[in-house]
Structure formats: C-alpha cells, structure tokens
Amino acid sequence: MTRGTQDEATAAARESDGLPLTTTGLPAWLDPVADAARTVRPRQLSRFLPPEDGRGRQSAVLILFGEGPRGPELLLQERAGTLRSHAGQPSFPGGALDPQDGDPHTTGPLRAALREAEEETGLDPAGVQLFGVLPRLYIPVSEFVVTPVLGWWREPSPVGVVDPAETARVFTVPVADLTDPGHRVTVVHPGGHEGPGFTVESALVWGFTAGVIDRILHFAGWERPWDRSRLVPLDWRA
C-alpha cells in the first residue's frame, strides 16, 4: 500500500471510529482549511515524512482555530526552556500518544491532541469541534511522527499555563498577523537550514510549527506575498 493510500485509509477510519470529524456548523472562513485538509498530499506539506520502516514516536498536535477580538486566531504555547526537546519553542499544544489514546492509525491521534491540549493549556475539550486531519509528518531531531489535528474552538474556555515545567506561556495569534507580510521572515538555523518564520506576540515561531502554519496559509488561499529574503537568525534575541 502506498503512503497516499495509507493516508486516505487512515482518514476514513478516523471519521468512522467513534470520535467523529465533522465540518457541520463551521464558520464559512474555515471552509478553505477544511477543503485543504481533504486534498493536500504529504509532500505538499513537508519533505520530512514518517520513515517507511515504521520508526518514530507517534504523536499529535492540535491546530485550534478560534474567533477572537481581531477575528480568526490560532492557539499556541511556548514550551518551557528546561525541556529536553524543542525547549523554549512556540508550538501547537500536543505530544506523544499514550496507550489509553487508542490506535495510532485511527482515533488515537485525535484523543491525544485533545488530551495534551487540556493537560498543557487547561482547554476544555468539550468546546472543541474536530474537523480535519492533515497527513502525518516527521520531526527528525526528536523522531516524532506527528499527526496535525484541526479543530474549531466552538465554545471557548479559559486557557493558561498548567505546568510551568512544561509550558512557559499560552497565547493566541490573530490569523491577520500571521498573514501580514510584515510579520513573515525566513529563519536561518545555525546549521544553515532555512525555513519560514513568524514574528508575532513577542515570539519567533519557527520549525515544525511555522512550517505547518505556512502551508495552511498557502493551501487555504490566505497567503499574501512576503519578502523571503528577510532573514532572521535563530538566536534573534542575542
């Protein structure tokens, strides 16, 4: 079975295995994101895909869209600076699957995304409507196989840092800021690798999180022309 066929089968299984994905009742502005989730292929999102031999730790992140004072927004968090992997990085809520989450090839990632979001931000999962799943991606540095789960914050609940040992802060970013060319940069890693970045809410969003946001903006048709030659070193605060 090819990876494309596997992804189609996985998506179908998730929709029928007790934790439904539904687009019913979504605000119209989210329609392009839901449409993109149904059609985007893995290599359109990243060149880093799960190893064919099955290696990697299964995990999930919750890409949660809400409606804020300035319109559509995304929920992000900043990881604690003392963590072993991705310390201090802005990220989506999420983490590794636990046994109680269930099958990693069906609804396990959906449950993990909601569970981790609740544990990290205090989010009430009952107010979240899951409406899509993006193809699984891979983070080589930590060997995580990540399922990005798309959610609509239908009934917002208070959020904040639950465990300072894991999370430094929790914040929302207006989509208008993410699409603003003035907030878009090309991040230069000390090793020479370059990737998309966003300077928002006193943070530099980079790496896996920025890459996924960049592709969502592109395939949802929200991307605006920006200056890719505007380089920002990863140690931008130095």
Side-chain angles (χ1 to χ4, degrees):
M1 182 182 291
T2 66
R3 176 175 278 120
T5 305
Q6 286 177 326
D7 287 332
E8 291 166 3
T10 298
R14 286 176 184 150
E15 293 205 30
S16 63
D17 190 21
L19 195 60
L21 299 174
T22 177
T23 58
T24 301
L26 286 184
W29 58 264
L30 266 178
D31 288 345
V33 180
D35 291 341
R38 286 191 289 266
T39 58
V40 70
R41 309 311 306 160
R43 289 204 178 276
Q44 292 177 305
L45 292 179
S46 174
R47 63 191 178 93
F48 297 112
L49 302 182
E52 296 284 358
D53 61 8
R55 286 182 296 109
R57 190 176 183 188
Q58 296 295 326
S59 63
V61 296
L62 179 64
I63 304 175
L64 185 61
F65 291 90
E67 190 87 45
R70 294 179 53 205
E73 61 185 17
L74 267 179
L75 178 68
L76 295 177
Q77 63 181 22
E78 186 174 310
R79 293 169 60 83
T82 54
L83 293 175
R84 286 185 299 175
S85 62
H86 310 292
Q89 246 183 285
S91 68
F92 303 116
L97 269 66
D98 285 346
Q100 64 266 29
D101 294 322
D103 189 345
H105 299 291
T106 56
T107 57
L110 307 187
R111 292 190 177 90
L114 289 175
R115 175 183 55 75
E116 286 281 346
E118 181 178 16
E119 292 176 0
E120 293 174 339
T121 73
L123 171 79
D124 182 359
V128 176
Q129 175 181 332
L130 301 182
F131 68 89
V133 176
L134 297 178
R136 290 180 301 157
L137 304 175
Y138 187 59
I139 304 179
V141 66
S142 56
E143 299 186 335
F144 277 114
V145 174
V146 185
T147 299
V149 179
L150 300 169
W152 159 237
W153 209 351
R154 188 184 62 250
E155 299 176 10
S157 55
V159 292
V161 174
V162 175
D163 183 356
E166 290 193 5
T167 308
R169 65 171 173 144
V170 177
F171 59 101
T172 56
V173 179
V175 171
D177 285 350
L178 294 169
T179 59
D180 183 344
H183 292 294
R184 302 219 53 181
V185 298
T186 296
V187 176
V188 183
H189 190 276
H193 171 72
E194 296 183 358
F198 302 83
T199 53
V200 291
E201 302 297 323
S202 302
L204 175 65
V205 183
W206 61 282
F208 174 86
T209 302
V212 173
I213 293 174
D214 172 79
R215 293 296 81 196
I216 288 175
L217 298 182
H218 175 77
F219 287 107
W222 296 346
E223 184 179 35
R224 296 163 58 189
W226 58 283
D227 184 4
R228 297 173 187 272
S229 68
R230 184 183 170 203
L231 305 180
V232 172
L234 196 50
D235 56 350
W236 68 307
R237 292 187 186 275

